[in-house]
Amino acid sequence: MNNKLTLNEIIIVGLFAAIMAVLSQISIPLPFTSVPITLQVFGVVLIGTILGRKLGFLSLIIYLLLGAIGIPVFSGMSSGLGAIVGPTGGYLIGFPIMCYLIGFGVEKKNNILFFVLAFIGVLIDYAFGVIQLSYISNLSLSTALVYGFYPFIAKDIVMVFLAAFLGLQIRKRLVKSLSLKLS
């Protein structure tokens, strides 16, 4: 098995890290919580669906590294290690794991498994996010759920379906037109 990335794969990983940075800027702050409404879950599902587990995971690691070194790619043009270890950093940390699960599901070419893993991935991301929000903000777990889970889950269920549908269409076209091996 060749672990080296081709030039096309490197370009695609960078492109999708940039797409994630753009989608992260579509952010609506809420007055009652430090967690904004964003298109980040949409972005992670889209990336995992299109790129699969290896390239999708790598794309989100690049996104996190760019933010960690100070490039303002996180929501609200934030960046730095403070964003990753801050109240909403758990969601960021969960993104590559979520993406890997989604990519694994799409590579198995089983739509039921794909959607189950997409929703498990979102729940894992929420678990990372809510636990870190609770710990950093000194909130009880039930209060952290009120601030970091309940206001967002309905939107994110819709985002999973939209991103998965769009991602599957784009994935088919990329494989066909660029002769990419996205699995």
Side-chain angles (χ1 to χ4, degrees), residues 22 32 63 73 86-87 92 96 105 107 128 139-140 145 151 165:
V22 170
F32 60 90
Y63 165 75
V73 296
L92 295 170
E107 289 170 12
F128 276 94
L139 302 171
S140 69
L145 285 166
F165 177 76

Side-chain angles (χ1 to χ4, degrees), residues 1-180:
M1 179 177 202
N2 184 3
N3 287 327
K4 292 184 180 180
L5 295 176
T6 66
L7 180 59
N8 277 349
E9 290 171 330
I10 292 168
I11 291 168
I12 286 172
V13 164
L15 175 66
F16 278 87
I19 289 170
M20 185 64 185
V22 170
L23 290 174
S24 294
Q25 301 319 309
I26 301 168
S27 174
I28 302 168
L30 297 176
F32 60 90
T33 179
S34 60
V35 182
I37 293 175
T38 70
L39 288 181
Q40 289 173 311
V41 167
F42 179 85
V44 174
V45 175
L46 188 69
I47 291 167
T49 304
I50 294 171
L51 298 185
R53 63 183 164 182
K54 177 184 168 187
L55 297 180
F57 180 85
L58 188 56
S59 182
L60 285 163
I61 292 295
I62 297 297
Y63 165 75
L64 291 178
L65 290 173
L66 290 170
I69 64 170
I71 298 172
V73 296
F74 302 144
S75 70
M77 298 296 283
S78 63
S79 65
L81 288 176
I84 295 172
V85 299
T88 61
Y91 301 100
L92 295 170
I93 293 166
F95 288 163
I97 297 163
M98 183 170 105
C99 189
Y100 187 89
L101 285 174
I102 292 164
F104 180 81
V106 80
E107 289 170 12
K108 293 299 177 188
K109 297 177 179 27
N110 177 325
N111 284 340
I112 293 171
L113 177 64
F114 167 61
F115 279 101
V116 166
L117 288 176
F119 285 109
I120 289 172
V122 170
L123 290 175
I124 288 171
D125 186 59
Y126 271 118
F128 276 94
V130 168
I131 289 168
Q132 187 161 325
L133 178 64
S134 172
Y135 180 75
I136 298 297
S137 299
N138 200 26
L139 302 171
S140 69
L141 202 50
S142 60
T143 302
L145 285 166
V146 169
Y147 293 147
F149 176 74
Y150 299 137
F152 308 99
I153 191 62
K155 177 219 34 127
D156 285 339
I157 288 170
V158 172
M159 290 295 110
V160 167
F161 281 112
L162 290 175
F165 177 76
L166 180 62
L168 288 171
Q169 301 307 311
I170 293 170
R171 182 180 173 87
K172 283 181 201 172
R173 287 182 174 88
L174 279 177
V175 169
K176 188 182 238 182
S177 66
L178 299 178
S179 302
L180 291 175

